[in-house]
Amino acid sequence: MKFFHLLVATLFFTAFQSHSQVHVDPIIHNSKERYITTTIGYPVLGTYAPLNQKEPITVLNPDGTGFIQADDLSKQKINWGIECTDEGVPIFKEGFNSASYTFWYRPNDSEEWYYSQFSIHFAKKKMFLMGERVKTYEDYNVQ
């Protein structure tokens, strides 16, 4: 009976630990391996648009897919992620009331990965993608 309880407890903690780990994907850019994740501790997912405009937009889904809409409003499906270590720790530069990350994306019809800036401006509660597209967010980390 003790063995059964030990087995159940082990399975429970293994499942809990594997569920709580950040998903990391390796990518290759210019013959160098890098790592990306969609989880950085802030609500990156969602729709980004230029200030005071409805289009063109970029949509980031939780599974690392989404699309980028060009100025002519054509849509291109993408895979995306934020650069991190091989253990899933986001790589960023800290600024005054901000943090800057590297946003990686690959169009579905291409094998090439491209990068751009992703930044979070904490005082304004805004996230900027590719310099011009923005999203307002709620900070659930503040207590």
Side-chain angles (χ1 to χ4, degrees):
M1 192 67 162
K2 286 183 182 181
F3 176 76
F4 178 74
H5 288 284
L6 182 61
L7 179 63
V8 170
T10 302
L11 289 173
F12 172 78
F13 286 114
T14 302
F16 181 78
Q17 182 179 10
S18 65
H19 178 70
S20 65
Q21 291 178 346
V22 173
H23 180 79
V24 175
D25 288 311
I27 64 170
I28 303 292
H29 181 259
N30 290 340
S31 302
K32 183 178 177 187
E33 188 171 54
R34 299 176 183 274
Y35 302 94
I36 60 172
T37 184
T38 59
T39 307
I40 66 168
Y42 288 91
V44 176
L45 314 173
T47 303
Y48 295 78
L51 281 173
N52 304 317
Q53 291 182 300
K54 293 186 179 196
E55 292 181 306
I57 63 171
T58 300
V59 173
L60 304 180
N61 298 321
D63 63 355
T65 64
F67 68 85
I68 294 176
Q69 194 174 35
D71 289 337
D72 67 3
L73 303 185
S74 62
K75 293 179 182 178
Q76 187 173 42
K77 291 183 178 181
I78 61 167
N79 292 309
W80 69 274
I82 302 291
E83 190 161 1
C84 65
T85 66
D86 61 346
E87 295 174 343
V89 177
I91 299 170
F92 65 95
K93 286 186 180 179
E94 189 172 354
F96 179 74
N97 253 343
S98 68
S100 181
Y101 301 79
T102 303
F103 173 78
W104 288 92
Y105 68 98
R106 179 182 59 83
N108 284 6
D109 61 357
S110 172
E111 293 299 315
E112 184 69 25
W113 284 91
Y114 301 93
Y115 62 92
S116 186
Q117 184 180 27
F118 174 82
S119 61
I120 303 173
H121 299 263
F122 305 113
K124 296 178 182 179
K125 300 288 188 250
K126 294 191 183 295
M127 297 180 174
F128 287 85
L129 180 60
M130 301 177 167
E132 66 172 11
R133 298 180 187 203
V134 64
K135 156 185 136 147
T136 302
Y137 74 98
E138 292 290 325
D139 191 355
Y140 299 109
N141 295 324
V142 177
Q143 296 181 10

